[in-house]
Amino acid sequence: MEGVVGPLDELMRPSSIAFYGASNNPLKMGTMQLANILEGGYAGRVFPIHPSEERVMGLPAYRSIAEVGEPVDLVQMVLPPDLVPGIMEECGRCGVRRAIVISGGFKETLRREGVDRERQLREVARRYGIRFLGPNCVGIMNGLISLNTTTIPEPPFGGGIALVSQSGAYTSMLNPYLREQGVRICQTISVGNEADIDIVDCLEYLLEEDAVKAVGLYVETVRRPREFIAAARRLAAAKPVAAVYVGGNEAGARSSLSHTGALAGPDGIYDGIFRQAGVMRVADMDLMIDALWVLSTQPLLRGERVAVITNSGGPGTSLAYHLEKAGLKVPVFSDALQSRLRSITTPTASLSNPLDITFDPNPGVYKDILEAVFSSGEVDGALLYGVFGPSDMAVNLRKRFPELIPFERKMEESFRGFLAEFADIPRRYGMPLVVMSLLEGSAATKRILVEAGVPVYQAAARAAGAIRASLEYHRLRERLRGEEAGGPREEAG
Amino acid sequence: MEGVVGPLDELMRPSSIAFYGASNNPLKMGTMQLANILEGGYAGRVFPIHPSEERVMGLPAYRSIAEVGEPVDLVQMVLPPDLVPGIMEECGRCGVRRAIVISGGFKETLRREGVDRERQLREVARRYGIRFLGPNCVGIMNGLISLNTTTIPEPPFGGGIALVSQSGAYTSMLNPYLREQGVRICQTISVGNEADIDIVDCLEYLLEEDAVKAVGLYVETVRRPREFIAAARRLAAAKPVAAVYVGGNEAGARSSLSHTGALAGPDGIYDGIFRQAGVMRVADMDLMIDALWVLSTQPLLRGERVAVITNSGGPGTSLAYHLEKAGLKVPVFSDALQSRLRSITTPTASLSNPLDITFDPNPGVYKDILEAVFSSGEVDGALLYGVFGPSDMAVNLRKRFPELIPFERKMEESFRGFLAEFADIPRRYGMPLVVMSLLEGSAATKRILVEAGVPVYQAAARAAGAIRASLEYHRLRERLRGEEAGGPREEAG
């Protein structure tokens, strides 16, 4: 494989894009996509192709790709489906080698006409050596070059998560959800019908993309199981891969068939494929994001022992319960550690594990506790509940005590500094920290923690599930690396 | 029970409150709580009691309860614990009969001194006929009289959910989470150590509170199992009750002990208690809110058959998969219904079930489809994905097409009218509608749907789980009512 440039390398990092299907009508899908390309900070050249307009969204428009007169790295098409094969041919003649076909109306219709059209499209592409995404997809997002060709504005770029999806909605529509949680992504790829480029190509590509730290897949079918397993194993030995698969029962399979024209297999078969592939199967998209969030931001959990640090009994008990339910341990701290903690906390604190700080006006205590716990050798990671910024609950107080406002601003500045240092402790000790918080995303504490790379979950079971995923991947990676090094394979291939 | 006034009737609807522990220092817990009472719209009289201040937060302060010289319905205390029994005695002598003791430092410390103090407090209260919440609790919220005595500002009042919790954090801190989801509540009660008023009293009270449509419990221990079962059964025959219990394994039980001084029992025992009590056990707080949201806003699901309506294959397939996994059915629509749907939808729509609208610029289609499906007699409820307001994705378009802004404003007005009518369909047909949407809470579509009483979930499994809870409660209520009418009991009592 070395030295070979995969189809996605050029597609994800084009220096120039020709766009078919954008106009000056803001209600058209193509226009929405071009608006997102132009407003998103993409630095390459963009050439709208339009049969009649002189300019499209302020850019000079071209009648055809031949008129552009410059090399074009990537073409995106939002066209009536019957035009697509012919346009693809024109592009091929002009030297284009990468394309994204947004248009639907192909194999997914389950009608002869659509199936034939897809075959024709593929033949044209082959003839000219064009590699393409789609048809029936929603485009790509690449934070590394600020490129977003989908209809969803403002992807939350800046993180290490890559998403690959056989569902357009789940590629692009996921972004508002991610933004609300504060989760940041790196790339997303909508593969649509996979008439050419498929998930296997994406897995190979993402292995080489260093900025990508964790990969999530939405799968309705695996079209090349053997290649999928091989590519996923290589990828998973380097970075975690999680997948949602929803074709596994009668209703799911029926729906999947009419969606992607794909024949889905029973849950058990896919469980087996994922296990062999080293892919962590998760139940739904939100839980996949939960796992990818901790995996892409925090050191791995390398053992079962987790400290629970809380300032409130209910969430502390919930975290302990759900950790143990998830197969992890909440070990009672040694006397030595407890007496060290006693010197840090107030007398009402409960020191065993969960460590319940109870009420303590000094937020700095969290930092001292986390360092004490991480340096003790008694745990492998920590779950935390209860750190609050000074202003997160002061809405009504501010109305009664306007003098609080400048005071809070100062407090918040110092709190921001404290939280940044606090969030750095996991990296220093190589152990993960996960926070549970019921605060809104707009709350200062949550925002600062999340910006500093600490994942924050709104439920105890989800926080516990996420940190368990971290241990699961640690073990999986050990297994995959062991097998690669020639050890015995757990499963027959 | 008829005619008897329970301890919570007066406590939750006081005409006057005396407050111990608020001052003019905004960093004190008591001050934060009083600020929330004063700013929340409570219309009753409020008397701060303070040993030295002339005025507290603008109100005249009294040296003692005796000085108030008017009847006081409720006293809230945020005082050093050693002062509490004495103050309770003073209150008793002045005719006070209801109190909330916020202070910690009692039985939950597991220390002799605290245990003795709690016994002493209870004795004083008994002597004077005072019924009280706490100690070691965070107060109450009652939307029906705009009263909030906790430290958390701005409860999302206006809904039918009541929460009762043995964890203070889970009573009050849940509110930012609820607000972010758009979930509205009616009342919350933090029972703390349950030295006097306990969950059983709350269950009896909530039966009589007509505005409460669904009840959620956070339980670390059930202190009076027999009474709990009896009261919960009566309540559950009238409205749904869901509970989270986290004391059921080693780590949970250990943590629970140090939190509420309560001995927790194994999961299996609590499963049995909840089953006999007609209480639906849920795994975590977020899933409890999921269930209460649909239960408090939508008609019940009275059968297993659910329609999936979507404009996108991935979410549609996910919903179908998770519905079936949750034991529900996604029946293929009859030819008659499919041909009716054909006349409403565009030619690319997939009509069986999931009904995939695919791209359709006319949002009105959702209304026509929902009416067609609900009036067909072929389903008992519906899950929907994909209705979007005109402006929810137009961020970048607006920058390029400023003329969109007034146009969008008009569109949004008509969209708001459409969504309100749409949201009314479930009530007209007596069937539940649940929406899955990845949009942020601030998105117009989501906000309008939620305000109109349609619950909106961000994951397919959660939407499916919520609508399943609706069927579960429908069946449970049938069982409980059957048993009440003298039918055979499914379980030995």
Side-chain angles (χ1 to χ4, degrees), chain B residues 362-371 384 386-390 411-425 445 448-449 452:
Chain B
N362 167 27
V365 70
Y366 288 99
K367 201 169 144 272
D368 299 339
I369 287 173
L370 194 62
E371 299 228 39
L384 176 100
V387 61
F388 300 122
M411 289 277 283
E412 191 148 325
E413 212 164 290
S414 95
F415 187 68
R416 179 178 287 275
F418 153 71
L419 274 192
E421 279 180 50
F422 179 67
D424 196 46
I425 298 174
T445 312
I448 299 168
L449 278 172

Side-chain angles (χ1 to χ4, degrees), chain B residues 107-123:
Chain B
K107 191 172 145 193
E108 83 282 0
T109 58
L110 300 180
R111 290 192 199 111
R112 175 126 191 208
E113 196 186 35
V115 174
D116 287 348
R117 194 180 282 135
E118 187 160 318
R119 189 183 311 119
Q120 196 192 341
L121 174 62
R122 195 163 30 207
E123 280 165 10

